[in-house]
Amino acid sequence: MTHETDQPLLFEVDGPIAKITLNRPKQRNAINVALGEALRDAIIKFEAAPNLQVAILGGNGPVFSAGMDLQAVADGHAESIVFGEGRFGGLVSAKRTKPIIAAVHGAALAGGFELMLSCDLVIAAQDTVFGLPESKIGLVAGGGGAIRLARQLPKVIANEMLLTGDPITAETALKHGLINDVVAPDALWNSAIERAKRISRNAPLSTSASLALSQNSLQDSEDVLWAQSDAALRRMMQTRDAIEGAQAFIEKRQPKWRGV
């Protein structure tokens, strides 16, 4: 996916799908102030748009993202890039209610890997490598990498990646359940779009409630989670979409979601 433009980020709408593309290919889509602010604004825009149900996050050029722009760090901009609203890239700790699919290729390293880890589904090209090399340069994976990796991988695998800083391949990531699928590089976007379309055909209120429960499952106790699950199900059962979904199933037709 390539566009000739000086904009650090591209935001495109395809029906209910938002395509968000990091667009600093010559800098390996490293996150500087401009790209970080643009990505933060894109996430806010996506969340606020009632017609958008799912987003795809990808990158132009040879890699998905190499992480934080070290030149920006040298210029004294690390504070706003790392600790602004939503933290790194305005995404890694953003409060979200809609799913984001990462379409990853080439390399997702350091902060680029952390952007990917903050997404809800991941499709990766066969050539992709993933890594958190912060320990090699005297830093720590503070954009959520050190937190999320041990939740998503076996502890010993996560520790090896964090402590050695060495990357893993897409096949290894798939084997350990870190990503959903591995595809040929030229099939990456189509595969992500196909997955997004499958999500967008479902009831928006249902996907939002399900995503919230999935996110909370990693941090809350089972009693709290059951209470949240019961409350979410009760809310959903009282919506018009729940009635429409049941009626459409009975009538063997596609449902017409209203978001109420």
Side-chain angles (χ1 to χ4, degrees):
M1 184 175 185
T2 302
H3 295 270
E4 293 297 330
T5 175
D6 292 331
Q7 295 178 355
L9 181 138
L10 305 175
F11 189 97
E12 302 168 280
V13 173
D14 181 7
I17 302 169
K19 300 176 183 177
I20 302 172
T21 309
L22 309 177
N23 193 44
R24 299 186 74 216
K26 293 181 181 178
Q27 292 79 29
R28 295 166 60 84
N29 291 322
I31 308 296
N32 62 357
V33 174
L35 180 50
E37 291 179 350
L39 181 54
R40 179 180 296 111
D41 290 344
I43 299 303
I44 293 171
K45 180 178 179 180
F46 164 60
E47 278 284 318
N51 60 307
L52 296 176
Q53 293 175 235
V54 56
I56 301 171
L57 177 64
N60 272 340
V63 303
F64 173 72
S65 176
M68 186 160 56
D69 189 323
L70 296 183
Q71 183 60 56
V73 175
D75 293 340
H77 300 306
E79 182 72 20
S80 63
I81 296 172
V82 177
F83 298 110
E85 183 182 354
R87 293 187 172 82
F88 185 71
L91 173 60
V92 298
S93 68
K95 302 299 182 183
R96 296 188 292 103
T97 63
K98 300 178 182 180
I100 300 178
I101 301 171
V104 190
H105 72 289
L109 300 172
F113 189 26
E114 291 173 316
L115 292 178
M116 186 213 89
L117 288 172
S118 68
C119 293
D120 306 295
L121 286 79
V122 183
I123 311 297
Q126 292 164 337
D127 62 352
T128 313
V129 294
F130 308 92
L132 293 169
E134 282 84 351
S135 62
K136 294 178 181 287
I137 55 174
L139 294 175
V140 64
I147 299 171
R148 289 191 167 108
L149 202 62
R151 291 176 173 177
Q152 297 183 35
L153 287 178
K155 184 177 180 180
V156 292
I157 304 299
N159 285 344
E160 183 172 5
M161 291 186 68
L162 287 166
L163 301 180
T164 67
D166 294 339
I168 62 172
T169 65
E171 291 296 338
T172 298
L174 181 65
K175 180 176 72 172
H176 291 297
L178 190 63
I179 61 179
N180 294 86
D181 202 1
V182 176
V183 299
D186 60 0
L188 178 62
W189 270 93
N190 284 340
S191 180
I193 290 170
E194 187 274 334
R195 200 72 56 106
K197 286 181 176 178
R198 286 164 53 192
I199 292 172
S200 71
R201 287 194 288 267
N202 296 330
L205 292 177
S206 294
T207 57
S208 177
S210 297
L211 183 62
L213 288 169
S214 177
Q215 292 169 339
N216 293 341
S217 69
L218 297 174
Q219 57 196 26
D220 291 331
S221 68
E222 187 164 329
D223 287 343
V224 171
L225 289 169
W226 274 115
Q228 292 175 352
S229 178
D230 290 346
L233 183 56
R234 290 183 189 280
R235 287 196 306 270
M236 295 306 304
M237 291 173 66
Q238 295 172 8
T239 65
R240 293 182 183 178
D241 275 358
I243 298 172
E244 167 65 8
Q247 194 66 38
F249 179 82
I250 293 169
E251 296 173 1
K252 295 181 172 57
R253 59 173 174 81
Q254 288 296 316
K256 298 178 180 178
W257 306 121
R258 300 177 61 182
V260 292

